[in-house]
Amino acid sequence: MKIGELSARTGIPPRMLRYYEQQGLLESERALNGYRAYGEADVQRALRVRGVVQAGLSTRMARVVLDIERQCELESPPECSLALAEELAGELEALEERLACLTKSRDAVARYLELSRHGDVVAALSANQVARPA
């Protein structure tokens, strides 16, 4: 698929997909005409990249995390220097703090809506999340 189709399927603008590729987070083949060509697996990879970056990781750290995920899937023993382990521990702590903050904000918004006359909106959202596979 071309970059436009990947963009349409992921909701990620082509410019951002090119940036991800420049940063080594996404790869494409090149057709004879020079156009980028992506495979089906690149849809999930692009979505995962966007999620990790939106979670607050730098693109450099996102690349590290995605490589770690790939290693874990292969069940090969990870190679990790002490410096990288310390850096990852710092990222883990920052992620935990962001998760706590987001959870508190989510709960406050949900509680506010539940107490308002539009509590049914929250119930409908919760029902949709339960019905959707993770």
Side-chain angles (χ1 to χ4, degrees):
M1 78 186 82
K2 293 181 184 172
I3 197 167
E5 184 180 346
L6 182 61
S7 174
R9 291 187 56 190
T10 61
I12 302 169
R15 184 174 180 187
M16 186 60 65
L17 293 169
R18 286 187 206 95
Y19 176 72
Y20 290 163
E21 191 171 337
Q22 287 175 340
Q23 299 301 307
L25 296 165
L26 194 60
E27 296 176 6
S28 67
E29 301 290 325
R30 291 292 181 146
L32 293 176
N33 59 9
Y35 289 0
R36 289 172 172 85
Y38 297 95
E40 197 60 38
D42 293 316
V43 173
Q44 291 306 313
R45 173 74 178 192
L47 291 169
R48 182 70 183 121
V49 168
R50 180 181 61 187
V52 171
V53 170
Q54 285 181 337
L57 272 64
S58 66
T59 54
R60 185 186 70 75
M61 187 53 66
R63 189 171 50 248
V64 169
V65 168
L66 293 169
D67 287 345
I68 288 170
E69 286 178 356
R70 190 174 295 147
Q71 279 185 345
C72 289
E73 288 171 2
L74 298 174
E75 296 181 17
S76 60
E79 304 247 347
C80 184
S81 68
L82 178 59
L84 178 58
E86 289 171 344
E87 189 174 358
L88 288 172
E91 287 292 330
L92 185 59
E93 185 177 350
L95 286 169
E96 291 291 345
E97 290 171 3
R98 277 187 231 124
L99 279 171
C101 183
L102 285 170
T103 299
K104 186 175 181 179
S105 297
R106 180 205 56 208
D107 293 348
V109 169
R111 182 74 177 134
Y112 178 83
L113 286 171
E114 287 170 358
L115 293 172
S116 76
R117 60 188 176 107
H118 303 290
D120 56 329
V121 172
V122 176
L125 176 64
S126 295
N128 286 337
Q129 287 177 343
V130 170
R132 250 188 341 187

